[in-house]
């Protein structure tokens, strides 16, 4: 773990990206405790590199899938709550919902990845549902006014982000 934490401190992205999946795989085969894996995942609290978040996303979703398929609803709920507060909320605060003029390609991709992850793991989070609802309604208005749904005129949100946002909203409101 010393190598990983040193890489984090020195921001050696290639080493970090290599070690996260490696630690996740060790956990899957029982060679690393889930608690230790969660400690490794806490690097996400201050991380804003898209490539690192791709690796984190795989590990976070893998842990969630394993807990969810285990049938242990309490542990799954605890993980959701922990991931939401420790991992997803900080990055959501950093990247936000709306593209910035300073975003490069990685910034756009990071935002879409994080919104998608938030929708999957922050189920029932009122802030996320409210924002997704607002953006879904803006898309509907745009389409109703002759827009093609590619861009919401009110937010200039890319279609990849719109789709993840709206699918989360719709999954929470199945009566629509």
């Amino acid at each position: 773990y010393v190598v990983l934490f040193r890489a984090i401190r020195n921001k050696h992205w290639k080493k970090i990206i290599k070690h996260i999946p490696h630690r996740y795989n060790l956990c899957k085969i029982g060679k690393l405790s889930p608690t230790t894996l969660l400690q490794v995942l806490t690097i996400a609290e201050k991380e804003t590199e898209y490539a690192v978040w791709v690796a984190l996303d795989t590990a976070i979703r893998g842990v969630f899938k394993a807990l969810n398929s285990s049938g242990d609803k309490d542990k799954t709920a605890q993980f959701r709550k922990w991931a939401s507060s420790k991992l997803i909320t900080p990055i959501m605060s950093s990247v936000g919902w709306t593209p910035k003029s300073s975003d490069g390609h990685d910034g756009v991709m990071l935002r879409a990845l994080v919104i998608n992850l938030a929708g999957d793991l922050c189920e029932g989070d009122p802030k996320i549902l409210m924002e997704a609802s607002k953006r879904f309604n803006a898309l509907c208005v745009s389409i109703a006014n002759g827009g093609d749904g590619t861009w919401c005129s009110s937010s200039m949100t890319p279609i990849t982000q719109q789709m993840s946002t709206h699918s989360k909203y719709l999954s929470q409101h199945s009566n629509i």
Side-chain angles (χ1 to χ4, degrees):
Y1 309 110
V2 174
V3 172
L4 177 61
F5 290 111
R6 191 176 300 139
I8 293 164
R9 185 179 63 238
N10 297 324
K11 298 192 180 272
H12 293 141
W13 307 126
K14 288 182 183 179
K15 286 183 182 178
I16 296 169
I17 294 165
K18 182 176 101 178
H19 282 281
I20 293 169
H22 179 66
R23 299 294 184 256
Y24 170 61
N25 288 331
L26 287 174
C27 187
K28 281 190 344 186
I29 62 171
K31 300 287 183 184
L32 182 72
S33 77
T35 304
T36 304
L37 178 62
L38 295 180
Q39 289 172 340
V40 169
L41 294 179
T42 61
I43 70 162
E45 288 181 83
K46 295 181 178 134
E47 188 51 61
T48 58
E49 289 291 321
Y50 171 68
V52 175
W53 266 98
V54 169
L56 287 165
D57 180 68
T58 300
I60 292 166
R61 288 179 187 280
V63 171
F64 175 69
K65 183 179 177 182
L67 287 170
N68 206 30
S69 65
S70 75
D72 190 332
K73 292 182 180 184
D74 290 336
K75 283 187 180 178
T76 303
Q78 286 175 340
F79 178 74
R80 270 185 195 263
K81 185 176 179 179
W82 176 82
S84 177
S85 67
K86 293 285 186 183
L87 307 179
I88 300 167
T89 298
I91 190 68
M92 281 294 295
S93 296
S94 176
V95 300
W97 287 78
T98 306
K100 301 170 182 98
S101 60
S102 61
D103 284 347
H105 175 73
D106 285 356
V108 171
M109 298 300 290
L110 176 62
R111 183 173 295 103
L113 181 145
V114 170
I115 288 172
N116 195 314
L117 185 61
D120 289 343
L121 287 174
C122 300
E123 184 178 276
D125 182 306
K127 288 180 186 176
I128 291 174
L129 286 175
M130 186 171 61
E131 187 64 26
S133 172
K134 180 177 95 176
R135 289 173 183 271
F136 178 75
N137 290 332
L139 176 66
C140 291
V141 168
S142 171
I143 292 171
N145 290 329
D148 64 2
T150 304
W151 295 88
C152 272
S153 58
S154 63
S155 66
M156 298 303 286
T157 306
I159 190 66
T160 54
Q161 186 179 337
Q162 285 185 31
M163 296 312 295
S164 63
T165 302
H166 307 320
S167 68
K168 304 313 170 204
Y169 176 71
L170 290 173
S171 71
Q172 297 294 320
H173 296 85
S174 58
N175 60 342
I176 294 178

